[in-house]
């Protein structure tokens, strides 16, 4: 008698012959193993030329399907909301949001220009033209464009170290905006937005926290009444503040502190209570108005002002802008105010234009400590210590990354800080990729489902079989780690949770490939070496559930033929069934005919037992949870049915 099984991937499987029909019939069921067919790819129709041709065909077909309206939407995103604008529903929220953001932007723009080392009027220039340009070509309907604190600090840090005149400094800042715009357009054309994915949230949080502290310290000179060295490092700033303490002047300190207190109170009330929501965007304007009125009435000599702003060339405002970007705080205010479309940005830009045309003569009375208070109030929200506490409780690795980024930004400067943060973040990514998670799945009792035995302690494995699941792509960086772990799993066999026939060593390695999305040439070569190594020790490799791309790679590399199509399966359970029959056949020992005659069951007993097993297997594999699984008196007869404990 012969025991055969129908493989999922190959019709002509090797057969397992029993040394004696009677001995084998008494120890295991005489029936084929049912498996799901695995579809192997056809490599002859998968060459690179037809693939490239197919991609080009899809691309040209997509272009042909694009309508004129869709082309306009692509190059003029504003057309999307213009042609679908609901005047009755959208107009009032857009007007209110634009008015709110515009009122908030006027004083902030001047404050951020001072932070960048420019005259405050250039902040208004930066908050004017870019808003209209983004409203036409930008895709976001709520993003508020204009000068921001971090970009202003970067401009100051880049140009502040050069010995430049004020005119040349301003020209280079404007040129910097042009260069930044060119680079952003190139990156957008090449679709390089995915690069931001390599900057983790902990890096961004640590960087913004440290930058906020540096920005606040850089504005201390307007509170203290004396000059402080311009630097993006915390140590020179603190040294300069301490060394000039004898020049301290109390009037700007008192005035700046009062304005800052007003800003913080209005900001807190605007965030915490809905009925006072209007106070949040009105805070900066209120601070500027209060400071200007005080200076206009009392004319304090010890408080510095911005003389000559009213004489600025208004026509130059249409072009003289330094680098700008989207503001988190103003975008949040824009969204909270109910902005529906880019019309809100146009309204805010109109307010900036009116300020440039009619209000510039009043700007000469704005106290610099008031502008500094606006900057400090804005950046205080960037100090994200709550994120550090959260990371400490959730992920110590991300907490360490947050600390490293913050410390390097504070002590080494913002450029080095962000580079170090990104570098360490990439190092963590590389480490995780080179040391992927590898699990040993076991069978859940009463099912054909296999799960990680560390996560599910009730799951059990089988003697002579090792199942391994690699939860990552396999490539040159992690293949050595994977091979080492495979050898460890082979040597470290825990027999306490194993079922099936007793064997002395491992005979089969089942590699579950469902999580593996990619495999490179180095991994292919390593699999060949691993197959030869296992073959020399009489261990067979089985592949379960590879995806189409991985299976195609293995086929082209000859791994499928090398291992044999009969050892490729759709499910882990299919592979386990086939391997168990081989393990059982290897474990059988011919019995003495006399002793066998005494123990030989009758024909009706064998028929009843066979029918009971077939019915149980059919119900189990159909997913019926009410299946009653029979108990086996012999442990090695449990391979295809779950074991009740």
């Amino acid at each position: 008698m012969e025991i055969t099984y129908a493989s999922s991937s190959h019709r002509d499987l090797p057969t397992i012959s029993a040394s004696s029909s009677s001995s084998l019939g008494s120890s295991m069921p005489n029936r084929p193993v049912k498996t799901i067919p695995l579809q192997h790819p056809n490599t002859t129709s998968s060459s690179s030329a037809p693939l490239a041709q197919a991609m080009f065909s899809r691309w040209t077909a997509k272009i042909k399907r694009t309508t004129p309206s869709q082309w306009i939407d692509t190059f003029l995103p504003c057309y999307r909301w213009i042609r679908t604008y609901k005047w009755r529903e959208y107009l009032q929220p857009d007007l209110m949001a634009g008015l709110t953001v515009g009122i908030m932007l006027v004083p902030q723009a001047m404050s951020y220009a001072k932070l960048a080392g420019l005259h405050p009027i250039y902040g208004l220039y930066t908050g004017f033209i870019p808003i209209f340009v983004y409203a036409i070509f930008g895709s976001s309907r709520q993003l508020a464009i204009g000068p921001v604190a971090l970009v202003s600090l970067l401009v100051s840090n880049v140009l502040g170290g050069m010995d430049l005149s004020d005119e040349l400094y301003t020209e280079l800042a404007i040129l910097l905006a042009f260069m930044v715009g060119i680079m952003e357009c190139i990156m957008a054309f090449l679709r390089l937005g995915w690069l931001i994915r390599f900057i983790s949230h902990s890096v961004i949080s640590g960087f913004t926290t440290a930058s906020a502290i540096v920005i606040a310290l850089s504005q201390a000179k307007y509170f203290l009444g004396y000059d402080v060295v311009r630097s993006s490092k915390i140590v020179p700033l603190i040294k300069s503040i301490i060394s000039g303490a004898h020049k301290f002047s109390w009037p700007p300190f008192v005035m700046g502190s009062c304005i800052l207190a007003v800003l913080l109170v209005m900001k807190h009330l605007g965030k915490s209570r809905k009925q006072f929501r209007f106070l949040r965007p009105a805070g900066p304007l209120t601070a500027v108005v209060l400071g200007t009125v005080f200076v206009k009435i009392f004319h304090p000599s010890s408080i510095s002002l911005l003389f000559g702003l009213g004489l600025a060339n208004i026509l130059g405002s249409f072009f003289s802008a330094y680098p700008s970007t989207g503001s988190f705080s103003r975008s949040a205010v824009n969204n909270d105010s109910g902005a529906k479309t880019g019309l809100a940005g146009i309204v805010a830009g109109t307010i900036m234009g009116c300020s440039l045309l009619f209000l510039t003569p009043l700007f000469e009375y704005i106290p610099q400590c008031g502008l500094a208070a606006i900057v400090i109030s804005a950046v205080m929200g960037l100090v994200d210590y709550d994120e550090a506490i959260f990371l400490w409780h959730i992920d110590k690795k991300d907490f360490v990354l947050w600390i490293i980024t913050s410390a390097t930004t504070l002590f080494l400067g913002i450029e080095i800080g962000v580079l170090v943060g990104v570098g360490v973040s990439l190092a963590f990514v590389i480490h995780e990729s080179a040391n992927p998670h590898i699990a040993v799945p076991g069978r859940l009792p009463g099912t054909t489902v296999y799960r990680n035995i560390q996560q599910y302690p009730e799951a059990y494995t089988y003697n002579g079989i090792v199942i391994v699941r690699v939860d990552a792509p396999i490539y040159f960086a992690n293949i050595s780690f994977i091979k080492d772990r495979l050898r460890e799993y082979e040597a470290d066999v825990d027999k306490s949770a194993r079922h099936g026939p007793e064997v002395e060593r491992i005979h089969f390695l089942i590699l579950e490939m469902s999580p593996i999305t990619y495999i490179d040439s180095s991994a292919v070569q390593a699999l060949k070496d691993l197959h030869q190594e296992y073959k020399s020790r009489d261990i067979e490799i089985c592949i379960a559930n590879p995806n189409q791309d991985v299976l195609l790679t293995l086929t082209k590399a000859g791994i499928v033929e090398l291992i044999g199509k009969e050892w490729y399966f759709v499910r882990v359970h299919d592979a386990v069934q086939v391997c168990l029959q081989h393990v059982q056949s290897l474990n059988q020992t011919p019995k003495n005919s006399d002793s066998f005659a005494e123990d030989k069951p009758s024909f009706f007993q064998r028929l009843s037992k066979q029918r009971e097993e077939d019915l149980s297997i059919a119900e189990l594999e159909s997913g019926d949870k009410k299946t009653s699984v029979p108990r086996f008196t012999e442990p090695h007869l449990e391979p295809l049915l779950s074991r009740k404990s």
Side-chain angles (χ1 to χ4, degrees):
M1 177 183 292
E2 292 184 345
I3 302 173
T4 62
Y5 61 88
S7 170
S8 60
S9 57
H10 203 264
R11 294 183 178 179
D12 301 327
L13 272 181
T15 60
I16 306 174
S17 300
S19 58
S20 171
S21 61
S22 56
S23 63
L24 198 53
S26 64
S27 61
M28 60 185 299
N30 301 331
R31 55 178 175 77
V33 174
K34 299 178 181 178
T35 59
I36 302 173
L38 176 66
Q39 300 297 327
H40 285 271
N42 185 2
T43 57
T44 58
S45 60
S46 303
S47 60
S48 58
L51 180 62
Q53 184 178 358
M55 293 178 62
F56 180 77
S57 300
R58 288 195 298 267
W59 182 69
T60 54
K62 184 178 180 180
I63 292 178
K64 291 179 180 179
R65 290 195 304 266
T66 305
T67 63
S69 178
Q70 291 174 335
W71 282 115
I72 297 176
D73 287 347
T74 301
F75 294 101
L76 288 176
C78 64
Y79 181 67
R80 301 175 188 172
W81 58 264
I82 290 176
R83 60 186 172 87
T84 59
Y85 197 83
K86 301 177 182 179
W87 291 94
R88 293 184 179 181
E89 183 178 350
Y90 292 169
L91 183 59
Q92 182 180 356
D94 281 342
L95 291 176
M96 291 300 299
L99 181 64
T100 302
V101 172
I103 291 174
M104 184 180 183
L105 177 58
V106 171
Q108 277 192 349
M110 294 187 292
S111 304
Y112 293 151
K114 287 294 297 179
L115 176 61
L118 299 166
H119 291 294
I121 196 68
Y122 290 99
L124 298 178
Y125 298 162
T126 305
F128 180 40
I129 290 295
I131 289 182
F132 290 98
V133 175
Y134 189 83
I136 297 173
F137 297 100
S139 58
S140 175
R141 302 184 182 186
Q142 285 80 29
L143 187 64
I145 297 296
V148 297
L150 287 178
V151 174
S152 300
L153 179 63
L154 287 170
V155 172
S156 174
N157 190 59
V158 170
L159 302 179
M162 306 178 186
D163 187 12
L164 304 172
S165 62
D166 291 343
E167 293 79 8
L168 183 57
Y169 186 99
T170 302
E171 291 175 0
L172 290 179
I174 297 171
L175 177 62
L176 184 61
F178 176 79
M179 296 173 63
V180 170
I182 292 295
M183 292 187 64
E184 288 179 338
C185 289
I186 293 175
M187 295 178 70
F189 179 77
L190 298 177
R191 298 185 178 275
L192 298 179
W194 56 269
L195 291 174
I196 197 67
R197 302 173 189 170
F198 291 97
I199 304 179
S200 66
H201 184 266
S202 55
V203 170
I204 296 175
S205 176
F207 172 73
T208 54
T209 298
S211 299
I213 297 174
V214 172
I215 291 172
L217 290 176
S218 68
Q219 298 299 296
K221 60 182 179 181
Y222 301 114
F223 276 61
L224 302 176
Y226 58 89
D227 288 336
V228 175
V229 66
R230 179 182 295 175
S231 176
S232 63
K233 304 174 184 177
I234 190 173
V235 174
L237 285 172
I238 294 178
K239 284 184 178 179
S240 180
I241 291 173
I242 295 175
S243 62
H246 62 282
K247 302 176 185 178
F248 174 77
S249 176
W250 66 266
F253 179 79
V254 173
M255 185 176 184
S257 300
C258 292
I259 293 176
L260 180 60
V262 171
L263 285 168
L264 294 178
V265 170
M266 295 181 69
K267 187 177 182 179
H268 175 72
L269 290 176
K271 284 185 174 181
S272 59
R273 301 187 179 182
K274 291 184 178 180
Q275 62 268 30
F276 297 131
R277 189 171 57 184
F278 67 93
L279 292 178
R280 182 184 178 187
L285 182 63
T286 303
V288 169
V289 170
L290 290 177
T292 302
V293 170
F294 180 84
V295 171
K296 185 71 174 178
I297 296 175
F298 297 102
H299 300 283
S301 58
S302 58
I303 296 179
S304 59
L305 309 174
L306 308 169
F307 287 110
L309 286 179
L311 302 178
N313 188 353
I314 300 301
L315 294 178
S317 66
F318 293 95
F319 308 98
S320 302
Y322 74 95
S324 61
T325 187
S327 168
F328 292 127
S329 60
R330 291 195 299 273
S331 297
V333 169
N334 199 29
N335 183 68
D336 294 341
S337 300
K340 301 296 183 182
T341 65
L343 181 62
I346 295 177
V347 174
T350 303
I351 294 176
M352 292 296 295
C354 294
S355 301
L356 285 167
L357 289 172
F358 306 114
L359 300 181
T360 49
L362 300 177
F363 293 160
E364 64 183 65
Y365 298 103
I366 298 176
Q368 296 201 46
C369 60
L371 297 179
I374 293 174
V375 174
I376 295 175
S377 172
V379 300
M380 285 182 68
L382 299 178
V383 180
D384 198 4
Y385 58 87
D386 289 335
E387 178 69 13
I389 298 174
F390 173 78
L391 293 176
W392 171 258
H393 292 290
I394 300 300
D395 192 339
K396 298 296 191 297
K397 180 189 66 177
D398 283 341
F399 175 78
V400 171
L401 187 58
W402 190 94
I403 292 295
I404 291 175
T405 305
S406 301
T408 52
T409 302
L410 284 173
F411 293 99
L412 301 180
I414 55 177
E415 297 98 335
I416 297 179
V418 71
L419 289 176
V420 169
V422 172
V424 176
S425 181
L426 289 176
F428 283 163
V429 171
I430 294 172
H431 179 268
E432 292 295 330
S433 178
N435 299 271
H437 178 262
I438 301 178
V440 175
R443 183 177 177 180
L444 296 180
T447 71
T448 59
V449 177
Y450 291 76
R451 292 294 182 264
N452 187 356
I453 59 176
Q454 298 295 329
Q455 185 177 1
Y456 297 90
E458 68 273 17
Y460 57 86
T461 56
Y462 292 100
N463 293 316
I465 302 173
V466 173
I467 309 172
V468 177
R469 187 188 71 225
V470 181
D471 296 330
I474 303 180
Y475 68 115
F476 66 93
N478 61 16
I479 187 61
S480 298
F481 174 82
I482 294 173
K483 290 173 66 176
D484 293 340
R485 293 297 300 274
L486 291 178
R487 295 188 181 99
E488 292 177 8
Y489 291 138
E490 179 190 351
D492 185 16
V493 178
D494 183 12
K495 296 186 178 181
S496 60
R498 288 182 174 267
H499 292 184
E502 295 292 338
V503 291
E504 297 297 329
R505 62 179 184 86
I506 297 298
H507 292 278
F508 293 94
L509 171 68
I510 300 176
L511 184 59
E512 182 184 359
M513 284 193 163
S514 55
I516 300 174
T517 58
Y518 169 75
I519 183 169
D520 71 349
S521 58
S522 299
V524 167
Q525 185 59 45
L527 282 178
K528 290 182 179 179
D529 297 339
L530 200 63
H531 176 265
Q532 295 298 329
E533 176 185 341
Y534 282 161
K535 186 177 180 180
S536 64
R537 292 188 281 123
D538 197 20
I539 298 176
E540 187 64 54
I541 296 179
C542 303
I543 305 296
N545 196 20
N547 67 34
Q548 183 178 5
D549 295 334
V550 171
L551 189 57
L552 181 61
T553 302
L554 296 178
T555 303
K556 289 181 177 180
I559 300 294
V560 172
E561 296 297 333
L562 180 65
I563 296 177
K565 287 186 176 182
E566 65 272 15
W567 299 113
Y568 284 76
F569 304 90
V570 172
R571 301 183 305 170
V572 174
H573 185 61
D574 294 348
V576 170
Q577 291 183 93
V578 173
C579 294
L580 276 174
Q581 285 204 349
H582 282 269
V583 172
Q584 287 176 330
S585 67
L586 294 172
N587 195 52
Q588 299 303 318
T589 56
K591 294 186 177 181
N592 190 298
S593 57
D594 296 335
S595 60
F596 169 73
E598 297 176 359
D599 299 333
K600 180 179 179 180
S602 67
F603 170 77
F604 293 103
Q605 289 176 334
R606 293 198 305 270
L607 181 62
S608 175
K609 184 177 181 180
Q610 179 67 45
R611 182 175 179 81
E612 183 182 27
E613 291 177 356
D614 289 342
L615 289 175
S616 299
I617 294 169
E619 293 175 355
L620 181 61
E621 296 188 348
S622 66
D624 187 0
K625 296 183 179 179
K626 298 181 180 180
T627 302
S628 59
V629 183
R631 290 183 178 272
F632 282 80
T633 56
E634 300 180 41
H636 66 277
L637 292 182
E638 196 268 346
L640 303 181
L641 296 177
S642 63
R643 185 173 205 159
K644 288 187 177 181
S645 57

